[in-house]
């Protein structure tokens, strides 16, 4: 059986690779696709322990929105993506009355390709601190929402998971939304894909290979993860180049790996236009989160409240 | 007895005002001054409950470094200030072996006059996460240090004190160093003064009138506060103008207050050169903290590690 | 005749002060007001040389949009302000076919109260460099627009006017739109007012007391200025407090001024919520500029293209 | 003759590749090396038109400082690099009396890997605007220096070269120092190398493939370029992987290129620790520039003046 020689944080890439390798979908994995005008939504459900192991990720639902035009300033595509994302988030959050939502933006605000989480946090319409200070016309219009960007360990000296657990124990949210920049296998998915899952975040995922698991198991409440691949792993790129060229073991593959991989572990591949993409993606996600959580917030109001 | 019609976060200003008003130093308050070449250091000790009440602040030590040339790029003044600050911090921290220090940068990084705390955090040499991963030559050279900038409530929806308590309970530091931008009564002290105290932070202090008490009482470990006045309260400026002009009750004072004070509560007075001052002050403070905590970190290395 | 003891960059404040002082509008000044739901628009036209001198500003049109709710996240008020601003800009710009517009954002991006210009520039939909590379569906949809934030002299070592003249001579725009943060006399106008004028920028205006004149006379093409008061001059605040309290010459006014004014020249008074206001205002202005210049850009698309 | 299948902005990489390919150094290229404790300095001089063509870059001097420990917070290495850079800059600038130096920081401040130029500009001690306003003790201590970060075309709508030419014509500097982030062929040189050349900047170099030539020919005064490779071209990485594995034409190379290269043109490979490296490198370079230009500025003062 062929070994996996690439890294991806996207369930859909793993599922497609396995299906291609085996000639059939993995057992215990259900796939549903919905094709829109500019966006294709695919739900990969991992249903069994066996599928969990084969896919290398947790049982649960992974919805992927794929929209190649997201890379550009394509108005209708952004609108369709935002609307779909709002819908998926409402479904995953399943909020009833006044549950408090905590948004956690992972990543390093000083590295463009890793700044998605902190940037989304800047656009969140926080209301938890207002409580009864809210003007009457906003009572019922908003739910309590809080947002933190805990930073990365190299800057704080603190394992991010510790900070988050500390805050969660204090404010006791009913749902946690974790936003993170991810690594894809394929260039074509970078900045053109949004993955939403109900399984939280696993160690080793994210641009910075986060070390903590953030999930219902570790935090005690449902954790929904929103991720966008902003990079390809440099090692994955090397493996893919060799693979596509038909290079096999014993044919120089080792030579190439020996030279390139020691460095590749500390590198990632990212688009030159990352700054513009970051703005577009973080704004679209923040607007969808605000609209999914606050009953009367409309996504088109995002531009009025923020930026 | 004259009422206090100004706001200050500096113990020295309160002590001087009381001394001027009463013709003598307040009971239970001890003052010691040391005059350097460019910096004057004054220690105000509040010793009794009565003095606590009269001064409107907690029993403890308040060291103020006053250096008018801090406002400019005056090399020797910055050097003398940094050296004194390092010395005072070493005294206040009283670290023995491997105690963990947590630096907390209060304030809003997006408002120049309130960004001191987050800026200092950017310059802290964090080491807590390295533990045994430290190269042998650094073992003994550094102590475990961590640093967070919890943001302000209007951006996170979370009372800052909750975030800090959450993190403190997780990482259990032995000392906490809180850095904050303060309000002074007098223009001449803005960006030219550093206050260090062993009493932590009281509600209502800081540029943003922080709401939490951060002290040994609330956090369980010694809390040392470092503050720099970066603003004057706009209401204080109005009161001082009327006072200096000899305006008394019933002489139009009310008219002026009625027009100006409703707005003044949401305003502060800050120097046009705040951005340059912020860089200088935050770098000087971060270097002194690093040197006071890490046995082998020299302040002059700050420029090599950061920025 | 009463002397002017305040500083304002707003024509409307000068006109109101003169009208109050003299019991009638100044000669050669025409005032028209239009009251909307949340916004009041006032056009002050300075028509004669005499009026120019009396008002201390150039002959031309000054439209002021006053909207107290701009200070808050008031959706309808932002919408009405944006629509009015777009309309006024279209009138002032009087663009015909393919004229190139250059947007100049004055001020210091590192000082929140002075960052309006650079922030607006970040939200401008620049197209001048695309020329024939534009997809066919965008030909006719956009005009050539460029945007620069030349920085402030303390950071570049270059008089801002020199940089602007240098760029203008290279790219030869047909219209220049200068955006700047201003000083108001009254607190109540801060962050609640937008002034548009066809006279450009005069020396001594802006938060930083810009030194250059930017006008048709110095740049050779029509210069439209958009300004928002983000600060009150600290000296103005002191004078106003004394004035409102009825303090007159020889009554202690000198004492107050002697103590406070030496410092006040380097200070300004600004709202604590300046960061949020900056985001809202710069986004509203950028959207209105984009819509006024590009035939098919709608203000509501701003959120999709930027942030 | 083997074709070049990689992109590099470093003269030393091109020279080494040619020497390896041909078994001898290219004609008309002189190489001198000086080995320090932590830094190796290599001067590649291109002396003839023929060598110009073979090397694909302009006649002139290219000094490369190679310091693998630059990647880390290695104090002595940073110190040795800074000292060498100051020395090389003094040699290249050859300033006599009061010549004005203009520092130009190319690149996009919002993309970490492309922000070197704007970051260095933030640390330049500008003095050109002070002229006679300088305190007497600083007359003779500093030369007139100015600094601009003109931004990138996608944000301004203006070809960067136009902005620079416009400014140069206004302020007429005697020397121009251009700072830019570069692309290397080899991972090992990223963030560990500084190249200084007296040939200016050629089209197609820099992280963003700048479009303009900035040289004595186009700007009329000597242009010294300082560059640091912060990225590897993604296409270069693919080619190198195939080359190292011994893949030849007709053996699947085309398949790999067909799949990977269309995307690779818009991508680059960059270290995860780019933010920390950026701070270190920009501070080291700014300090060396300040010390090379201002007679009495010492590199160790950089931390006092900036950050």
């Amino acid at each position: 059986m062929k070994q996996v020689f690439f890294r991806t944080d996207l369930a859909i890439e793993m599922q497609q690779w396995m299906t291609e390798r085996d000639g059939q979908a993995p057992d215990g994995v259900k796939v549903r696709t919905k094709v829109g005008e500019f966006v294709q939504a695919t739900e990969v459900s991992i249903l069994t322990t066996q599928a969990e192991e084969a896919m290398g990720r947790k049982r649960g639902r992974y919805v992927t929105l794929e929209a190649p035009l997201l890379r550009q300033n394509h108005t209708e595509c952004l609108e369709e993506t935002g609307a779909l994302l709002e819908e998926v988030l409402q479904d995953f959050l399943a909020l009833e009355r006044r549950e408090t939502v905590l948004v956690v933006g992972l990543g390093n605000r000083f590295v463009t390709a890793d700044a998605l989480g902190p940037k989304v946090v800047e656009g969140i319409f926080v209301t938890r601190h207002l409580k009864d200070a809210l003007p009457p016309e906003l009572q019922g219009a908003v739910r309590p929402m809080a947002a933190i960007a805990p930073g990365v360990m190299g800057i704080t000296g603190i394992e991010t998971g510790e900070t988050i657990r500390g805050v969660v124990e204090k404010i006791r949210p009913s749902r946690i939304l974790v936003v993170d920049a991810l690594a894809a296998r394929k260039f074509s998915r970078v900045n053109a894909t949004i993955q939403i899952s109900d399984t939280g975040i696993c160690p080793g995922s994210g641009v910075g290979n986060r070390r903590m698991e953030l999930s219902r198991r570790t935090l005690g409440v449902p954790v929904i993860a929103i991720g966008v691949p902003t990079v390809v792993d440099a090692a994955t790129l090397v493996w893919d180049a060799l693979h596509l060229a038909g290079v096999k073991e014993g044919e120089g593959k080792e030579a190439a790996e020996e030279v390139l991989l020691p460095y590749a572990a500390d590198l990632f591949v990212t688009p030159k236009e990352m700054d513009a993409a970051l703005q577009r993606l973080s704004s679209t996600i923040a607007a969808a989160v605000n609209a999914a959580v606050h009953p009367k917030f409309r996504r088109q109001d995002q531009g009025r409240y923020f930026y």
Side-chain angles (χ1 to χ4, degrees), chain A:
Chain A
M1 192 170 90
K2 277 200 255 167
Q3 226 188 308
V4 182
F5 273 123
F6 60 86
R7 182 188 154 202
T8 178
D9 294 324
L10 297 176
I12 197 174
E13 289 195 326
M14 182 55 79
Q15 173 262 323
Q16 289 181 350
W17 179 81
M18 291 176 71
T19 305
E20 201 183 310
R21 184 193 62 181
D22 304 336
Q24 60 175 60
D27 275 351
V29 174
K30 203 178 75 187
V31 180
R32 282 191 319 165
T33 295
K34 199 173 100 183
V35 180
E37 191 174 355
F38 298 102
V39 189
Q40 173 166 324
T42 306
E43 180 164 339
V44 174
S45 301
I46 301 182
L47 302 168
T48 63
T49 317
Q50 188 194 7
E52 221 174 16
E53 216 162 282
M55 291 275 290
R57 58 209 69 208
K58 299 219 161 183
R59 212 180 307 187
R61 299 163 65 197
Y62 300 82
V63 172
T64 309
L65 308 181
E66 293 177 279
L69 294 177
L70 259 190
R71 276 237 188 70
Q72 303 157 32
N73 271 332
H74 191 289
T75 307
E76 286 90 348
C77 176
L78 275 166
E79 172 55 30
E80 190 181 332
T81 306
L84 261 171
L85 179 57
E86 179 184 342
E87 198 185 306
V88 174
L89 287 174
Q90 266 176 340
D91 177 24
F92 274 59
L93 285 167
L95 294 168
E96 301 200 349
R97 289 179 53 78
R98 300 271 307 157
E99 292 99 334
T100 296
V101 177
L102 172 65
V103 179
V104 176
L106 298 177
N108 182 348
R109 73 172 71 241
F110 302 111
V111 173
T112 318
D114 197 21
L116 184 77
K119 269 288 179 193
V120 167
V121 161
E122 285 180 29
I124 294 302
F125 189 45
V126 297
T127 46
R128 179 180 169 274
H129 59 306
L130 300 175
K131 285 171 193 147
D132 311 319
L134 270 180
E137 74 272 19
L138 283 183
Q139 301 282 9
V142 298
R143 285 199 175 84
M145 180 147 60
I148 55 166
V152 293
M153 207 168 55
I155 288 177
T156 62
I158 307 172
E159 159 64 56
T160 315
E162 291 177 292
T163 304
I164 297 169
R165 272 192 296 268
V167 172
V168 165
E169 284 171 19
K170 288 297 160 207
I171 76 170
R172 306 223 162 269
S174 304
R175 304 281 187 287
I176 298 174
L177 259 174
V178 181
V179 185
D180 201 3
L182 305 177
R185 177 187 185 181
K186 294 198 179 164
F187 290 154
S188 59
R189 287 212 171 83
V190 167
N191 290 342
T193 309
I194 302 177
Q195 174 177 276
I196 308 101
S197 78
D198 61 4
T199 59
I201 297 271
C202 298
S205 58
V207 168
N209 288 330
R210 322 286 178 221
R211 308 210 307 191
M212 66 286 176
E213 174 178 335
L214 298 174
S215 68
R216 179 170 214 151
R217 197 178 66 77
T218 62
L219 296 174
V221 292
V223 178
I224 288 100
I226 306 176
V228 174
T230 59
V231 308
V232 169
D233 202 57
T236 296
L237 176 57
V238 169
W239 280 317
D240 271 356
L242 299 176
H243 175 75
L244 285 164
V247 176
K248 294 190 182 51
E249 313 293 321
E251 273 182 6
K253 187 161 178 294
E254 291 71 18
E257 289 181 357
E258 201 174 307
V259 173
L260 299 174
L261 296 194
Y263 297 98
D266 298 324
L267 298 162
F268 53 68
V269 188
T270 186
K272 290 177 183 171
E273 303 284 325
M274 191 60 230
D275 59 330
L278 176 68
Q279 299 283 32
R280 266 198 310 279
L281 288 163
S282 57
S283 165
T284 301
I285 293 172
V289 169
N290 288 332
V293 170
H294 298 313
K296 296 212 176 148
F297 190 104
R298 299 166 310 161
R299 280 180 300 108
Q300 64 263 41
D301 292 341
Q302 180 73 10
R304 296 197 176 116
Y305 286 80
F306 298 94
Y307 313 108

